[in-house]
Amino acid sequence: MVNRGRSQGCTTCRQRRVKCDEAKPECGACQRLGLYCGGYKTRPVNIRFKDQTVRFSNVIAARETEAIPRPRQLKSLDNAVNFYLDHYVNVGRRMESARGFFEVLIPVYSAERQNSALSLAVSAVASEILNLWRYGPASLSSSCEPYSKAVMALRGAIQDPVQQTKPATVLAILTMQWYENIAAIFGHRSATPTHHAGALSLLPFMESDNGSKDQTTVASIRRFIAHAEVSSATRQKRPVNDAILSCISRGGLLSAPQNPSASLDAIGATVAALRARYAQNLSALSDTLGDLAAEAKAIDQQLLTWSWSVPEHWKPRKITSGQDFDLSIPAYRSTCEVYPSSQIANIWNMWRVHRILLFKIVFESLHREPQVENLVGYEQIFQELVDAICYSVPFYLGNRVRPMHITDFDDCSISLCGHSIPSQDSQGRSPQSPTSTRMSEDEHRRQVVAQGPWHLMNPLSRLLTLLAEDDNHHLTGILRSGQHKWIRQQFQRVTTLLRLSPPDQHSAGKSTTLNSPDPASLNTTADDLAGLVRRGGMFMSGP
């Protein structure tokens, strides 16, 4: 349910929870900060959403996955859209950490007619996500009706010479790729690149002929397409698409200093290119491993420079179990690292994964072509990077262990950590972002409960697949005793929360648990499922 509240300000100020002077055509606050001003729409979706997810629980009889009659699963897409926008699109998103998709979706969506390609695509994804919360993966096979309608509308928009270049059409394509990613992950199959390729093909043709607001929207969408391409290229060990490389070389889309995520993607494109050459080199020997290692070290220096330039309040702060957060929250070495948002934590984990991928090349070089160089320093850095990913687990998950359900948002037994611990600079001050306000406890809870497992799934599955490929134990031999097992357990915990059971258990209706009686079975299940997640999320955002 929506709450109109007292504010009549612009969409952007209402999302940021700040006072708006209601100047037209753009408010003064947005103009001063150089933000996209969403305008003063009157459509219901363009207003503040109040969390009332408890009302959903009154009409739900079963907590676990079950066969649900079709009308019950697809009941009220308006509720589904509100839930999706409030818990995934709006909360925890700020322009300072924008990747370019969620931050512009609501303003563009609110201006679309009800049966447009974007409106139908958002309805399809929203109904799929709400069904997952209500009924689990068993409901996804019944979500084809809104998906089919969205595909038909999208085909019509792409065939229209005017519509095919509009931001709303490209956003609809990207939204459908999200739908495909979710379906592939829960379907235990590789994601298809159709929508991702379609967005890339329209990249040169997007128009922005309606002033600065549309120009900002187009630039944001292009930035997200670039981010998704860098992510997928890194996963597939291939170079980044030439169109994206051209944008980077011109210094336009990805190098904006006010957006660390965009700057990180620019470096990530070079990581993807080096990984592609490294994979080719193993068979073709086109470069010496020493040359590749030297290039890896140079790129790692760029990543270090990036970490020094990010806003001070972005930097994680370590807190201790039993002292700063509840002992019921599983933590590696009793440590949690706190971030301003799940999205910023995800960006940091992407930075760590980039560095880990580079160190893998360095380790291989030093082991295959022995040089007079000390490995201990690199091993220590690798250990610290893996530790930092482990330290983010409590922030993302709290003490949650049960399969996700809509009642989690109001479950008092769920403990989270991080909201009451502000970030601090080196002098112990608590700096505030100049472009955002501190999230309320309710916002913090909604973003962590809704987005936390999804954000953590990628870095943990990346770690497990890298370690599974480590036949020579160059990486696994560096980790502390028991750390590899702990990572497996936490990844299996994520799959339990998301109801993402292994294929054999999924078909048999069994649930995945943390306490497997057979440690070897736990290892096999976690590693195999991590591989399936990587293939299903091939075109997903993140590390």
Side-chain angles (χ1 to χ4, degrees):
M1 181 182 294
V2 297
N3 175 16
R4 298 184 181 274
R6 298 180 179 179
S7 172
Q8 299 298 318
C10 75
T11 302
T12 304
C13 286
R14 277 187 271 177
Q15 288 178 354
R16 294 174 53 229
R17 306 293 195 268
V18 298
K19 182 175 178 60
C20 178
D21 62 10
E22 302 183 34
K24 296 182 180 180
E26 296 182 0
C27 78
C30 290
Q31 291 184 53
R32 286 196 305 274
L33 297 174
L35 299 179
Y36 174 87
C37 182
Y40 309 92
K41 308 294 182 182
T42 58
R43 194 172 166 179
V45 59
N46 204 18
I47 54 183
R48 179 166 54 93
F49 291 95
K50 184 178 181 180
D51 182 25
Q52 295 186 351
T53 52
V54 66
R55 69 188 292 269
F56 293 121
S57 62
N58 295 331
V59 296
I60 299 174
R63 286 187 61 94
E64 307 303 330
T65 57
E66 57 185 353
I68 304 296
R70 180 180 179 81
R72 188 179 175 192
Q73 291 181 28
L74 300 181
K75 180 181 178 181
S76 183
L77 288 183
D78 288 340
N79 282 341
V81 169
N82 289 346
F83 178 84
Y84 172 64
L85 296 180
D86 203 23
H87 292 81
Y88 290 87
V89 178
N90 185 25
V91 68
R93 313 290 182 181
R94 296 291 185 269
M95 293 305 295
E96 64 168 353
S97 59
R99 283 173 165 170
F101 176 74
F102 291 110
E103 296 78 15
V104 299
L105 182 59
I106 289 180
V108 177
Y109 171 82
S110 65
E112 289 293 292
R113 65 185 188 280
Q114 188 171 1
N115 62 343
S116 69
L118 178 58
S119 295
L120 293 172
V122 169
S123 293
V125 170
S127 62
E128 184 174 59
I129 288 178
L130 186 55
N131 280 340
L132 279 173
W133 275 99
R134 285 175 163 176
Y135 317 118
S139 66
L140 296 186
S141 60
S142 300
S143 300
C144 57
E145 183 177 343
Y147 176 83
S148 299
K149 290 181 178 179
V151 169
M152 291 179 62
L154 186 55
R155 286 175 179 169
I158 293 175
Q159 293 170 0
D160 186 323
V162 176
Q163 292 298 320
Q164 66 181 202
T165 61
K166 295 300 182 183
T169 301
V170 182
L171 279 176
I173 295 174
L174 296 173
T175 302
M176 296 305 287
Q177 184 63 58
W178 278 105
Y179 186 104
E180 164 61 16
N181 294 339
I182 296 171
I185 289 173
F186 283 94
H188 306 293
R189 61 174 175 80
S190 297
T192 58
T194 304
H195 300 299
H196 178 73
L200 282 173
S201 68
L202 293 182
L203 183 63
F205 304 107
M206 276 195 297
E207 294 180 352
S208 57
D209 54 3
N210 294 322
S212 61
K213 289 190 294 184
D214 272 7
Q215 290 173 7
T216 302
T217 300
V218 169
S220 296
I221 295 172
R222 285 177 172 165
R223 178 183 295 171
F224 178 79
I225 294 173
H227 166 71
E229 170 64 10
V230 169
S231 296
S232 60
T234 306
R235 290 184 174 103
Q236 295 177 301
K237 299 179 182 179
R238 63 171 176 81
V240 171
N241 180 277
D242 288 343
I244 299 300
L245 288 178
S246 176
C247 292
I248 295 173
S249 64
R250 293 198 304 268
L253 301 181
L254 299 181
S255 60
Q258 71 274 16
N259 190 293
S261 177
S263 301
L264 181 60
D265 283 331
I267 303 173
T270 65
V271 175
L274 181 60
R275 273 175 57 79
R277 287 171 49 209
Y278 174 72
Q280 182 182 19
N281 180 77
L282 294 180
S283 57
L285 296 176
S286 56
D287 296 287
T288 67
L289 286 175
D291 291 339
L292 294 174
E295 188 172 343
K297 295 173 189 176
I299 298 174
D300 184 62
Q301 188 59 48
Q302 296 178 38
L303 290 170
L304 281 175
T305 302
W306 178 91
S307 69
W308 299 331
S309 66
V310 298
E312 194 68 27
H313 67 279
W314 271 43
K315 296 178 181 178
R317 181 185 176 191
K318 288 185 179 180
I319 58 177
T320 304
S321 178
Q323 176 179 326
D324 302 309
F325 62 94
D326 196 273
L327 288 170
S328 67
I329 298 176
Y332 184 68
R333 307 186 83 193
S334 301
T335 300
C336 170
E337 289 193 335
V338 174
Y339 302 84
S341 69
S342 293
Q343 181 164 273
I344 290 176
N346 182 262
I347 293 170
W348 272 109
N349 277 338
M350 189 163 193
W351 174 82
R352 293 169 186 130
V353 166
H354 283 330
R355 296 194 70 195
I356 288 172
L357 294 176
L358 294 174
F359 281 125
K360 183 176 186 294
I361 296 175
V362 174
F363 291 143
E364 289 288 341
S365 169
L366 295 179
H367 282 283
R368 293 190 183 203
E369 298 179 1
Q371 304 172 26
V372 182
E373 188 166 357
N374 188 2
L375 266 175
V376 175
Y378 294 111
E379 292 175 349
Q380 181 179 351
I381 296 173
F382 175 80
Q383 177 69 76
E384 291 172 354
L385 292 170
V386 176
D387 284 349
I389 294 176
C390 293
Y391 295 157
S392 70
V393 171
F395 177 77
Y396 283 123
L397 303 185
N399 67 346
R400 299 172 67 196
V401 293
R402 296 194 306 265
M404 69 181 196
H405 191 266
I406 198 80
T407 55
D408 289 352
F409 294 98
D410 296 285
D411 188 345
C412 296
S413 68
I414 293 178
S415 296
L416 304 175
C417 61
H419 178 264
S420 61
I421 309 294
S423 300
Q424 291 186 350
D425 62 17
S426 57
Q427 283 75 44
R429 298 186 299 258
S430 298
Q432 295 293 325
S433 164
T435 60
S436 65
T437 56
R438 182 174 174 80
M439 283 190 294
S440 67
E441 185 174 357
D442 173 68
E443 288 178 305
H444 175 73
R445 184 179 187 85
R446 280 188 289 131
Q447 67 141 354
V448 172
V449 171
Q451 303 169 25
W454 286 101
H455 281 305
L456 185 59
M457 178 178 65
N458 281 330
L460 290 188
S461 63
R462 167 65 81 182
L463 277 180
L464 289 179
T465 52
L466 281 176
L467 295 174
E469 296 167 355
D470 186 29
D471 296 333
N472 297 317
H473 303 289
H474 296 156
L475 301 179
T476 53
I478 299 173
L479 300 180
R480 296 187 190 87
S481 175
Q483 187 170 23
H484 193 177
K485 179 181 178 181
W486 192 87
I487 294 170
R488 284 183 172 123
Q489 290 175 331
Q490 299 312 307
F491 177 73
Q492 194 140 347
R493 183 177 162 212
V494 168
T495 63
T496 297
L497 294 177
L498 296 177
R499 306 191 192 194
L500 186 62
S501 58
D504 56 339
Q505 294 185 0
H506 183 74
S507 59
K510 301 177 182 178
S511 62
T512 306
T513 62
L514 287 174
N515 301 316
S516 173
D518 181 3
S521 174
L522 170 64
N523 295 346
T524 302
T525 298
D527 292 348
D528 292 347
L529 193 51
L532 290 173
V533 166
R534 300 308 297 176
R535 291 192 289 273
M538 190 68 70
F539 302 98
M540 206 171 203
S541 169

